[in-house]
Each structure stands twice: as C-alpha cells, then as structure tokens.
C-alpha cells in the first residue's frame, strides 16, 4: 500500500485559513488522493479527493503538486467545528472496491 | 438517506461469548467495509465486500468472521475474542467501480473482559 506522511499535529486560529500538508512520494499514476477527517467520537467523514488537478468543494480545496508527490488540504476559514484528525490517503482499488488504508493523520486544533 | 447504521453502539462480552455486530445501509452501495480503531490510532482496514463477496481480508484472525447476507447488510461475528480486541469497530459503504466517498457509521464500541 502506498504510504503518506503528515505532521502529527497543527494548530490554527478561528476564521483563518489552514493548510494541511501531505507527502506521498511513492504515489503511482492511478492513485487518487483522498482526505477524510474524524471528529471526536464520530466515524471518519469524507472531505475531498483528486487525481491531478486542484479540486474545490463546499468543505475545502485540494492543491496537488505537479509531480503529485505532495498535496495540501486547504480549509479557507477554519471554525471550531473543524477541529479533528485529518487523514490523507492514497486510494487503491481491489476487485472494484476502494481500499483506503489510513495513516497516522494530523490532529488539527482550532483556537477561538 | 445517506446513513450507515451500526448496532449495537456498545457491547461488552466475555472471552467465551459469541456475539455479532451489525451494519446496515440503504444507499444502494455494493461495497461494504469493516475497520477496527484502537484509542488514539487510525482506523485499520479488516475486510472489504464487493457485490456481497469477500474481496479483501487483511489477515484478520479467524475469531472475527464477516458475513454479507445481502446488499444492505454487513455483519461481523465475534467468537473467543481477547481483551486486546477491545476497540471501536467501524462499518463503511461505497459505490463499486466509482471514485467517491466512503460513508462511515458511528461505530460499535466493543469491550472484551
């Protein structure tokens, strides 16, 4: 399984942008980059995914480096509800099912 | 309905008991997943079902026995567990052959005495 590396923890202030980095130097050409987050006492929640181009949705933006060896999840205006563990995952496919192997993730703290 | 429902939310069992965890979704997803999560650790993939057939078993001990009786249901049968199997067990579902999100349930918290 291709591996990702993320900082253990990050801290930011409410209403400021947050940039969460992820390194995935062994990424293959068909690996999609997925981001999930897990709020306290909840199951993981999908945030965004992409392959080569930058992606935006209502929750966040995903910026993917040109060589695809790294990516950055951008929360444009953090709120206290964004405090969670954020996981960057390289998605594999096995017999049609998506195989997501979670790494250690980044614990994001938001200060009021 | 975008929910994955897991029951029970909490389960306490002895090492000689047999119990089951249940997961249900009505989104028409044909891929279903079991993950195990220990405290302050990331979820670990256990099993994946695709079209009701087991497609991935991540070398899970045989005391965990998955079952997918139909496209909406996923069970995890538990027998002769050890205290170190105490964890949060998460179920998820997704479409097959599509790139998209996995929908996770809130998990079943298992304590083995």
């Amino acid at each position: 399984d291709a591996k990702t590396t993320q900082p253990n923890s990050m801290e930011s202030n409410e209403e400021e942008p947050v940039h969460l980095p992820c390194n995935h130097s062994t990424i293959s050409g068909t690996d999609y980059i997925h981001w999930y987050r897990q709020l306290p006492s909840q199951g993981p929640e999908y945030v965004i995914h992409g392959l080569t181009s930058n992606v935006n949705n209502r929750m966040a933006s995903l910026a993917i480096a040109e060589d695809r060896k790294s990516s950055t999840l951008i929360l444009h205006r953090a709120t206290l509800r964004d405090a969670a563990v954020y996981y960057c995952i390289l998605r594999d496919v096995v017999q049609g099912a998506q195989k997501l192997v979670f790494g250690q993730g980044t614990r994001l703290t938001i200060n009021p | 309905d975008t929910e994955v429902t897991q029951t029970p939310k909490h389960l306490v069992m002895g090492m000689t008991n047999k119990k089951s965890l249940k997961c249900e979704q009505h989104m028409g997803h044909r891929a279903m997943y079991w993950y195990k999560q220990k405290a302050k650790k990331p979820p670990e993939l256990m099993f994946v079902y695709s079209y009701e057939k087991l497609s991935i078993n991540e070398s899970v001990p045989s005391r965990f026995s998955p079952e997918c009786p139909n496209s909406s249901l996923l069970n995890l049968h538990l027998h002769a567990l050890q205290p170190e199997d105490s964890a949060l067990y998460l179920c998820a579902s997704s479409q097959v052959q599509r790139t998209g999100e996995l929908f996770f349930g809130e998990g079943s918290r298992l304590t083995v005495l």
Side-chain angles (χ1 to χ4, degrees):
Chain A
D1 301 319
K3 202 171 166 167
T4 62
T5 306
Q6 300 176 252
N8 287 335
S9 62
M10 290 183 65
E11 201 168 324
S12 185
N13 297 320
E14 204 175 6
E15 299 187 5
E16 290 184 358
V18 180
H19 291 234
L20 295 163
C22 181
N23 287 322
H24 29 77
S25 57
T26 59
I27 192 170
S28 74
T30 55
D31 283 336
Y32 277 79
I33 303 157
H34 281 233
W35 284 81
Y36 281 74
R37 71 180 187 182
Q38 190 170 20
L39 280 64
S41 303
Q42 294 191 24
E45 173 187 33
Y46 168 82
V47 178
I48 201 167
H49 75 275
L51 183 62
T52 56
S53 306
N54 294 345
V55 185
N56 301 300
N57 67 20
R58 63 175 179 79
M59 285 181 73
S61 296
L62 177 59
I64 301 172
E66 202 167 325
D67 63 5
R68 302 210 323 126
K69 291 185 188 298
S70 65
S71 61
T72 302
L73 179 71
I74 302 163
L75 307 179
H76 293 286
R77 203 160 163 267
T79 70
L80 295 178
R81 287 192 65 251
D82 292 321
V85 179
Y86 285 78
Y87 296 101
C88 168
I89 305 164
L90 298 184
R91 188 215 65 166
D92 197 359
V93 173
V94 177
Q95 297 185 30
Q98 304 193 73
K99 182 178 178 183
L100 297 184
V101 176
F102 287 72
Q104 293 303 310
T106 296
R107 183 172 299 276
L108 176 64
T109 301
I110 304 295
N111 300 315
Chain B
D1 182 3
T2 57
E3 270 196 1
V4 173
T5 305
Q6 291 189 241
T7 54
K9 291 200 183 321
H10 299 275
L11 178 64
V12 180
M13 60 186 290
M15 289 189 285
T16 57
N17 292 158
K18 282 187 184 180
K19 297 284 185 185
S20 297
L21 304 180
K22 180 179 164 183
C23 174
E24 195 165 1
Q25 56 87 17
H26 297 286
M27 294 178 276
H29 292 167
R30 302 299 295 276
M32 296 187 77
Y33 310 75
W34 280 116
Y35 282 83
K36 171 183 175 179
Q37 186 172 29
K38 304 278 274 184
K40 301 210 181 295
K41 296 289 187 185
E44 296 173 42
L45 183 63
M46 300 175 72
F47 302 104
V48 182
Y49 275 82
S50 179
Y51 295 112
E52 295 86 68
K53 288 187 171 33
L54 184 64
S55 57
I56 299 175
N57 176 344
E58 293 284 273
S59 303
V60 178
S62 60
R63 58 185 184 268
F64 295 92
S65 175
E67 179 197 20
C68 191
N70 62 55
S71 59
S72 301
L73 274 178
L74 183 66
N75 298 320
L76 186 62
H77 302 298
L78 313 170
H79 174 52
L81 294 193
Q82 304 295 312
E84 58 264 29
D85 296 321
S86 298
L88 182 68
Y89 288 84
L90 292 159
C91 173
S93 71
S94 75
Q95 293 181 329
V96 178
Q97 304 289 6
R98 295 280 296 274
T99 297
E101 63 185 285
L102 267 63
F103 290 81
F104 282 84
E106 293 197 350
S108 293
R109 186 163 298 283
L110 173 68
T111 302
V112 182
L113 301 176

